[in-house]
DNA sequence: CCTCGGGGTTAGCGGTCGTTAAGGGGGTCG
DNA sequence: CGACCCCCTTAACGACCGCTAACCCCGAGG
């Protein structure tokens, strides 16, 4: 069963993704779920609270999924599984990904702190996995690499076109290649060693 | 010499990047350059026109730089040069990159058409270079790969920390690795062939 | 010296937005 | 049958925002 709250959050996510938080009015969100305007205040304390709950739940989902997969995978498979997880999430929830990337700055201060903390912990899961795969990599580089990998994988809302499976495969290959390229310090490498 | 217009655009870009187009008021932009509020209308027709000119000039800069480098490089070096160009631009203009990624949807319809057209041509430069490097790659895949590479490289505003040169090197390695990983179809590869 | 135009000021208008107020309709349970 | 509660409605308020109006300062050119 899908509660009214979830229905509203899904509609709001799509609108926020397309027009930005301040570019969407309460009335438009209401209209998107078939009610109009102030009815939303029966379900949320404020518009800020909608964004807060949206971003918090995304961050919790990512952190939880990341930890779960890390714990379930063989040590050599952790990074592979994290990549697969992030790719699947991004492809299945493009508007959530977009909102999380663009609208962190529109959160209330306490909400932003909460979300930031969750994000940091999720990034830490990645950093650990990266450094386990390449032990002589320093931590700041690993963190920057994790952010770059997110940028790659989360670029998916700006593409479409390719079809979910081909896209997933391609993103996994590119993320894998990106991390390998960084870790092995591609001299300036094989852009012409074609197949 | 830096004109008033450019000064205003730079300040506006930083504010738009941080708070989103609708999250920034005319008065704040004015305050950021030391004048207050409606003074900006001596230099721009409207707030929309600021964003329009900002995004148009970014797109023109990228397209022009991309074409220039393509024409100047040896065929086998084109992709390498494009990567280097995009990395440098992203690292040197983080707020412009952020605005271009987040605020395309806030443009006027004619402005958006203009910007979209320029962006499409820039992407085409990349697509051509990618397919020259791996001739048996189909065009949609190459285009999706280009977008993913942009996502990777443009993630730089969300990182910082690492220092411009290390960051540039790392992003080039990752972008190179990502494209190579896609083109050669990494089976599910060497995440453990450490250095 | 006077003019004049570029670039600035403050005041205010019209519209929009988030939010609250006030009220109503329809299931469910005692 | 009646009380209640959940969910919705429309009306309205206060704040804010983009933009215009009206006015001013000042440096350069005849």
């Amino acid at each position: 069963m899908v509660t009214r709250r979830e229905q509203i959050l899904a509609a709001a996510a799509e609108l926020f993704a397309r027009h930005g938080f301040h570019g969407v009015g309460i009335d438009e969100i209401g209209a998107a779920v078939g009610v109009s305007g102030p009815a939303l205040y029966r379900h949320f304390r404020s518009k800020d609270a909608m964004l807060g709950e949206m971003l918090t739940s995304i961050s919790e989902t990512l952190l939880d999924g990341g930890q779960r997969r890390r714990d379930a995978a063989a040590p050599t498979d952790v990074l592979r599984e994290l990549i697969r997880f992030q790719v699947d999430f991004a492809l299945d929830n493009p508007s959530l990904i977009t909102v999380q990337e663009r609208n962190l700055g529109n959160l209330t201060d306490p909400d932003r702190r909460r979300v930031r903390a969750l994000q940091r912990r999720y990034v830490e899961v990645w950093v650990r996995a990266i450094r386990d795969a390449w032990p002589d990599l320093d931590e700041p580089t690993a963190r920057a690499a994790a952010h770059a990998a997110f940028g790659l994988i989360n670029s998916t809302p700006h593409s479409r076109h390719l079809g979910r499976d081909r896209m997933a495969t391609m993103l996994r290959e590119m993320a894998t290649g990106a991390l390998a390229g960084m870790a092995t310090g591609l001299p300036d490498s094989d852009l012409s060693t074609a197949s």
Side-chain angles (χ1 to χ4, degrees), chain A:
Chain A
M1 170 213 174
V2 43
T3 79
R4 205 82 226 257
R5 291 174 66 86
E6 297 168 324
Q7 197 182 144
I8 294 170
L9 284 178
E14 203 156 321
L15 289 169
F16 290 166
R18 221 193 313 280
H19 305 106
F21 180 68
H22 290 296
V24 178
I26 284 287
D27 293 0
E28 305 176 52
I29 302 173
V33 298
V35 304
S36 233
L40 305 178
Y41 286 83
R42 295 281 152 193
H43 304 277
F44 295 92
R45 225 200 297 80
S46 69
K47 192 187 172 195
D48 291 311
M50 288 184 214
L51 186 65
E53 183 161 329
M54 191 181 306
L55 292 201
T56 304
S57 95
I58 297 170
S59 306
E60 285 170 349
T61 300
L62 286 175
L63 174 57
D64 185 69
Q67 288 175 333
R68 208 176 289 277
R69 263 144 249 248
R70 173 200 61 196
D71 295 340
T76 57
D77 290 343
V78 171
L79 198 44
R80 209 190 324 272
E81 287 304 311
L82 289 178
I83 290 171
R84 178 179 297 271
F85 170 60
Q86 180 75 29
V87 167
D88 287 339
F89 186 88
L91 285 172
D92 293 337
N93 308 276
S95 49
L96 292 186
I97 284 291
T98 303
V99 174
Q100 166 142 96
E101 277 196 328
R102 296 186 187 174
N103 295 88
L104 224 164
N106 300 121
L107 284 173
T108 331
D109 283 341
D111 279 342
R112 180 165 46 247
R113 267 192 292 278
R114 236 192 309 282
V115 171
R116 275 255 158 83
L118 288 165
Q119 288 182 340
R120 214 168 6 244
R121 291 173 61 195
Y122 181 56
V123 173
E124 259 2 84
V125 174
W126 275 71
V127 169
R128 184 78 66 125
I130 291 172
R131 297 193 69 204
D132 283 350
W134 297 283
D136 49 355
L137 201 66
D138 63 294
E139 194 170 308
T141 301
R143 207 180 326 273
H147 279 112
F150 293 153
L152 192 166
I153 295 169
N154 294 345
S155 73
T156 202
H158 316 312
S159 299
R160 286 267 147 289
H161 326 313
L162 244 194
R164 147 97 222 205
D165 287 2
R166 310 259 310 254
M167 196 72 184
T169 304
M170 194 200 75
L171 288 174
R172 287 197 304 267
E173 289 169 354
M174 289 187 76
T176 306
L179 291 171
M182 163 221 59
T184 63
L186 284 189
D188 204 5
S189 90
D190 313 273
L191 281 177
S192 36
T193 64
S195 59

